[in-house]
Amino acid sequence: MSSFSHATSLEFEYDSDAIAKIVERSVAQEIGEIAGDRSSTTLSRTGDTVTVEVEAADLVALRAGINTWIRLVEVAEKIHDLGSGY
């Protein structure tokens, strides 16, 4: 059982499994690298959907975790779009 009392799940759906895989691999490098003992994050992908699970000890840490992971995913998406000529 987790010691964190707050949690959320962020799901990002893409046009293809390939794009989801690129985004997943891009942000997976950050798992465990972001310092802090007030939150924890897991990442998974099923087909064309990337899921980020954020758990936190308090709402401030949860909000910070959500904002961080949304930004990381957005950057991965933008880089993919630039590289693919969208």
Side-chain angles (χ1 to χ4, degrees), residues 11-59:
E11 290 188 353
F12 303 91
E13 189 174 343
Y14 298 96
D15 293 335
S16 71
D17 294 359
I19 296 170
K21 188 175 184 178
I22 289 168
V23 171
E24 175 199 23
R25 287 184 173 181
S26 296
V27 298
Q29 300 174 55
E30 302 301 329
I31 296 290
E33 294 298 318
I34 298 172
D37 58 352
R38 292 173 43 213
S39 66
S40 175
T41 305
T42 58
L43 176 72
S44 63
R45 181 181 61 84
T46 303
D48 64 355
T49 303
V50 174
T51 303
V52 179
E53 303 276 346
V54 181
E55 295 182 305
D58 54 71
L59 292 175

